[in-house]
Amino acid sequence: MDVRDLSDEELYAKYGDRLVRFAATVVGPSLAEDVVVDGVMSALRSRRWTTVDDRVGYLYRCVLNAGRMELRSAARRRRREERAGVRPVAQAATGPELLIAPEVRDAIETLSPRQRAVVFLTYWEDLDERAVAHRLHISVGSVRQHLHRAKQKIGRQLDASV
Amino acid sequence: MPASEPMATDDQVRELVWHVADAAPIAPTWDRIAAGDPAPAGRRPRRGFELALVAAVVALVVVGVIALRRSGDEQPADQPPAPTSTVATETVPLAGLGAFQAVDAALCLTRRNARLVSEHDLTGLVGADDLPGFDTERAVLFGYRPMALVWAVATSHPDLGPGDADSLAPLVDAYRTADASAFAGPEASIGPGFPALVDEVATSFGSYVDTVVDPAVCQPQAPSAAAARDEAVCIAAVRLRRLLDERGTTGLPADDALIDAAGAAFRLWWETTPDRIEQLASDLASAMSAPADERDLAPLIDAIDADLLPDGTCVVPPDGQPVAQSTGGQP
């Protein structure tokens, strides 16, 4: 059945699992669930949702934006705490984060949200550059650039951890 | 890039991504989404609304201050009226502050990237999650008028991005109140009216460039003329890249607005890296001379990306110093 013929619920049933993995790559497993709910809801509430051509891409972008918001809020919170002289709590892995090896977590954390999105779509979903660009609504050149920088950052991080 | 730069292999990255993706929890149920309750207990609801309210109040205060200042500035009767360009440049920084507050709040509120302001445009300048060291307060000082304009225009269009256009209306109105002249041209719309948007942006963009490159004008808002120029260079690069990208992908013919925007960007770049700019200008001219259906702007866009956003940190350097390649901008 064509994606366009699916109801919202059917669409979510088909892509929900991928979206939550996508979100886990962008914000980490512990926040992934909330970010997916936020992102999918913002898509469904959008006036454009009923007319959008690429509903799957739209969902991914909404989840990515929800993830970026979440990370941005966390950064603001950190800055406020630093300004207030609050000693940062040691970043201990909790819950689902425990499933991730520390060196992997460190490597992912060096990437920007968009770079995380690009590497997920490239290496987990096995999309080519053009498909990634289409899904994230960016140019193919940007995809290449994000991928290149992501590899550089991960390479540096892995190199440093050896 | 030095040859010894470590670079992860495809297999390494794949393994890493799979490791993280496999640690993901089970997808939330459809019932939870359908129930319309995205906020878990204890999380502050409607934060966006609060931000919007604060932004609107700030914008109103700024407008009030502007009005008071203007009423206090009595011009002697024998003085000739100020030239048009001076009037224009005076409105830019004043309008910029309120508008930027609105933009910042709007960005927080909507959780989205409108098509025209995705990637590095506003998310980079305001949110800075890709740009370590970016300081929003400093950005407010600069008054990113063209960015604010693009954002306000984009958010006022119902077909862009997921959601929340209604809640943005007060912010857009605040911007319009602060600088009505910015919207004097045809109302922007995407699709059939896209050229009008480009005209609008290019005009605004040109005014902004004129303002920033004039040290006498930019001094009160910016720490230094050189730093302001660096900011403008990056903005110019981003704006031009976006314009070229839009035109290249939509196949619309080049027009004067695009050329003007490109010219403004190039004039700025000329001050920093003349040799490179000469090459880019030549490439642009030759790309634009081709028939519309044969025009290929992708290499030029890639070149601009590669030159001016080399590592995603050039828009605002962490220490506030000019970017490394901007050696000629210092007065």
Side-chain angles (χ1 to χ4, degrees), chain A residues 8-9 12 16-17 20-21 24-25 28-30 32-34 36-38 40-48 58 62 65-66 68-70 72-73 76 79-80 83 96 99-101 103-104 107-108 112-114 119-120 122-124 126 137-139 141-142 144-146 148-152 154-156 158-159, chain B residues 1 5-14 16-33 36-40 43 47 51 107-109 111-113 115 118-120 123-124 126-130 134 136-137 158-163 165-166 241 245 301-302 305-306 309-312:
Chain A
D8 291 346
E9 187 173 358
Y12 180 74
D17 181 59
V20 82
R21 288 173 192 272
T25 309
S30 57
E33 201 178 336
D34 285 345
V36 166
V37 174
D38 275 356
V40 173
M41 280 191 58
S42 92
L44 298 182
R45 285 177 174 173
S46 162
R47 280 192 290 182
R48 200 182 169 203
Y58 202 73
C62 287
N65 288 338
R68 297 171 77 160
M69 277 295 299
E70 191 63 50
R72 203 172 285 143
S73 301
R76 275 198 297 266
R79 279 200 296 270
R80 275 200 303 273
R83 274 202 296 268
L99 298 171
I100 302 180
E103 62 272 20
V104 172
I108 289 287
S112 71
R114 200 181 289 278
V119 296
F120 175 86
T122 304
Y123 291 104
W124 200 87
D126 276 334
H137 231 160
I138 59 180
S139 68
S142 295
R144 275 192 216 118
Q145 202 173 47
H146 284 310
H148 180 75
R149 288 177 191 162
K151 284 180 176 178
Q152 273 182 334
I154 292 172
R156 274 198 292 266
L158 294 179
D159 201 43
Chain B
M1 187 181 69
E5 178 82 23
M7 176 85 89
T9 63
D10 285 343
D11 286 343
Q12 283 176 314
V13 182
R14 180 174 288 109
L16 198 127
V17 169
W18 277 64
H19 191 82
V20 178
D22 284 346
I26 298 169
T29 62
W30 173 254
D31 290 343
R32 183 174 162 195
I33 290 167
D37 180 20
R43 198 164 161 184
R47 186 166 175 272
L51 280 170
L107 195 73
C108 297
L109 174 65
R111 306 181 174 208
R112 70 170 185 182
N113 283 331
R115 183 164 59 96
S118 63
E119 296 186 73
H120 289 287
T123 53
V126 180
D129 54 325
D130 287 337
F134 182 79
T136 303
E137 287 167 9
D159 289 338
L160 279 176
D166 289 337
R241 204 205 79 86
D245 204 9
I301 291 169
D302 286 345
D305 272 344
L309 300 169
D311 58 4

Side-chain angles (χ1 to χ4, degrees), chain A residues 72-111:
Chain A
R72 203 172 285 143
S73 301
R76 275 198 297 266
R77 197 163 49 242
R78 261 201 312 278
R79 279 200 296 270
R80 275 200 303 273
E81 288 171 356
E82 281 167 11
R83 274 202 296 268
V86 177
R87 176 171 284 193
V89 180
Q91 292 279 330
T94 55
E97 311 286 356
L98 287 170
L99 298 171
I100 302 180
E103 62 272 20
V104 172
R105 197 164 46 121
D106 291 347
I108 289 287
E109 280 178 358
T110 61
L111 307 183

Side-chain angles (χ1 to χ4, degrees), chain B:
Chain B
M1 187 181 69
S4 60
E5 178 82 23
M7 176 85 89
T9 63
D10 285 343
D11 286 343
Q12 283 176 314
V13 182
R14 180 174 288 109
E15 186 182 353
L16 198 127
V17 169
W18 277 64
H19 191 82
V20 178
D22 284 346
I26 298 169
T29 62
W30 173 254
D31 290 343
R32 183 174 162 195
I33 290 167
D37 180 20
R43 198 164 161 184
R44 292 182 66 202
R46 300 192 55 79
R47 186 166 175 272
F49 177 76
E50 292 168 13
L51 280 170
L53 198 62
V54 169
V57 170
V58 170
L60 283 174
V61 168
V62 170
V63 170
V65 169
I66 293 167
L68 283 174
R69 276 193 191 173
R70 284 194 177 163
S71 65
D73 291 343
E74 287 184 11
Q75 197 172 18
D78 57 344
Q79 287 283 339
T84 311
S85 61
T86 307
V87 172
T89 53
E90 278 175 2
T91 63
V92 171
L94 296 176
L97 185 62
F100 197 87
Q101 294 282 9
V103 169
D104 197 359
L107 195 73
C108 297
L109 174 65
T110 57
R111 306 181 174 208
R112 70 170 185 182
N113 283 331
R115 183 164 59 96
L116 281 175
V117 289
S118 63
E119 296 186 73
H120 289 287
D121 282 18
L122 266 174
T123 53
L125 291 170
V126 180
D129 54 325
D130 287 337
L131 306 169
F134 182 79
D135 183 346
T136 303
E137 287 167 9
R138 188 157 164 257
V140 172
L141 285 176
F142 280 100
Y144 283 119
R145 183 169 180 267
M147 293 294 116
L149 175 65
V150 174
W151 180 255
V153 170
T155 49
S156 68
H157 194 276
D159 289 338
L160 279 176
D164 296 331
D166 289 337
S167 21
L168 281 170
L171 302 177
V172 176
D173 285 345
Y175 181 71
R176 286 175 169 159
T177 310
D179 185 10
S181 65
F183 286 83
E187 198 63 33
S189 61
I190 313 300
F194 182 70
L197 174 62
V198 176
D199 286 344
E200 191 81 5
V201 171
T203 305
S204 165
F205 175 67
S207 307
Y208 183 74
V209 168
D210 290 344
T211 305
V212 173
V213 296
D214 180 356
V217 176
C218 74
Q219 197 65 40
Q221 348 162 31
S224 74
R229 194 177 295 116
D230 280 325
E231 301 279 330
V233 167
C234 293
I235 293 172
V238 169
R239 189 67 256 143
L240 175 66
R241 204 205 79 86
R242 173 59 53 195
L243 286 170
L244 290 175
D245 204 9
E246 288 293 334
R247 286 308 167 98
T249 53
T250 57
L252 291 171
D255 62 12
D256 291 341
L258 175 59
I259 300 299
D260 285 347
F266 285 145
R267 279 199 299 279
L268 275 171
W269 292 346
W270 185 269
E271 294 185 15
T272 57
T273 53
D275 293 342
R276 184 67 191 129
I277 296 320
E278 193 166 18
Q279 181 61 46
L280 285 172
S282 164
D283 292 347
L284 177 71
S286 100
M288 286 303 179
S289 65
D293 53 347
E294 295 173 14
R295 189 176 298 132
D296 181 12
L297 295 175
L300 183 62
I301 291 169
D302 286 345
I304 292 172
D305 272 344
D307 265 23
L308 290 153
L309 300 169
D311 58 4
T313 59
C314 83
V315 173
V316 176
D319 59 0
Q321 296 302 309
V323 288
Q325 73 261 37
S326 303
T327 53
Q330 194 74 29

